[in-house]
Amino acid sequence: MALQKTRYPQWVKDYVSKLQGELKLAHWTINFGKTYCSDIAMAEISISPAQHTATLTLSNEWRKWNPSVMRSTIAHELMHCHVNPINELAEEHLEELAPRTAEERKMGLNYVNERVTDALAEMVAPHLTLPRLPVRAQSRTLSHALSHSRTLKSNKKTGTAGRKAKRPVKKRAHKPAKKGARKK
């Protein structure tokens, strides 16, 4: 399956830059991928440690995240930049093993890497700045608004066509059901 292309807004890039400073990674260059990450992850980071660069991608659900989830997810991914040297050293020793054994050990190493990175991020994230999410446009449909046809009918009566009537709308009194009547 091909990954869906995207562009990350400037406020997300600015927020990542802020967290870089707070996590002592200001000397790193964090780029953003041109796609969302794979469906199995909330975010992914690809690291080039010798150049102190990394490429970050977020899941296509990132816009639905609350500030706390965004902070902890990005903190987790950035924490990989600190933990990565340990992985590199361990992977160098895996090259000496038989391919099947090396693959099994690498899977174990990746598992431990994620657990350690997650624990560090969980410990640090509450002390980091929360993102200031942009205000989303409010829906023009309100649950308490009058239906379109009723609004037009009442506006025609009062001569305020196309605008909300200025007089209050009378509420209907709830009539009790007649005996023997079926309730819906």
Side-chain angles (χ1 to χ4, degrees), residues 19-31:
L19 288 189
Q20 277 181 254
E22 292 178 16
L23 290 169
K24 307 299 184 221
L25 293 168
H27 60 289
W28 280 69
T29 301
I30 306 294
N31 299 308

Side-chain angles (χ1 to χ4, degrees), residues 8-156:
Y8 297 95
Q10 189 60 45
W11 72 266
V12 173
K13 294 175 183 180
D14 292 343
Y15 179 65
V16 169
S17 181
K18 174 124 180 106
L19 288 189
Q20 277 181 254
E22 292 178 16
L23 290 169
K24 307 299 184 221
L25 293 168
H27 60 289
W28 280 69
T29 301
I30 306 294
N31 299 308
F32 283 79
K34 296 182 186 327
T35 62
Y36 294 114
C37 68
S38 65
D39 289 341
I40 61 170
M42 290 180 72
E44 294 174 336
I45 194 162
S46 175
I47 299 172
S48 300
Q51 294 81 27
H52 288 120
T53 62
T55 302
L56 177 67
T57 56
L58 306 176
S59 82
N60 63 356
E61 298 288 316
W62 74 265
R63 287 177 182 83
K64 297 176 184 174
W65 295 346
N66 67 43
S68 181
V69 170
M70 179 169 275
R71 175 181 64 189
S72 62
T73 302
I74 293 173
H76 172 98
E77 296 309 319
L78 293 177
M79 196 61 67
H80 278 293
C81 297
H82 285 299
V83 176
N84 191 65
I86 298 168
N87 266 8
E88 285 185 338
L89 182 62
E91 285 182 16
E92 284 179 21
H93 293 287
L94 295 179
E95 293 172 3
E96 300 167 4
L97 301 173
R100 187 173 179 175
T101 305
E103 189 60 36
E104 289 172 358
R105 300 265 167 89
K106 185 168 173 130
M107 284 176 33
L109 178 64
N110 288 339
Y111 175 80
V112 170
N113 176 29
E114 281 301 315
R115 299 298 63 81
V116 168
T117 302
D118 217 25
L120 291 170
E122 282 181 29
M123 179 178 59
V124 172
H127 304 285
L128 300 173
T129 302
L130 279 169
R132 297 177 88 194
L133 304 180
V135 178
R136 292 188 177 109
Q138 292 183 348
S139 172
R140 294 187 186 271
T141 305
L142 302 174
S143 60
H144 65 278
L146 298 173
S147 68
H148 180 69
S149 61
R150 184 170 173 197
T151 303
L152 287 177
K153 191 185 291 182
S154 66
N155 287 346
K156 285 179 185 175

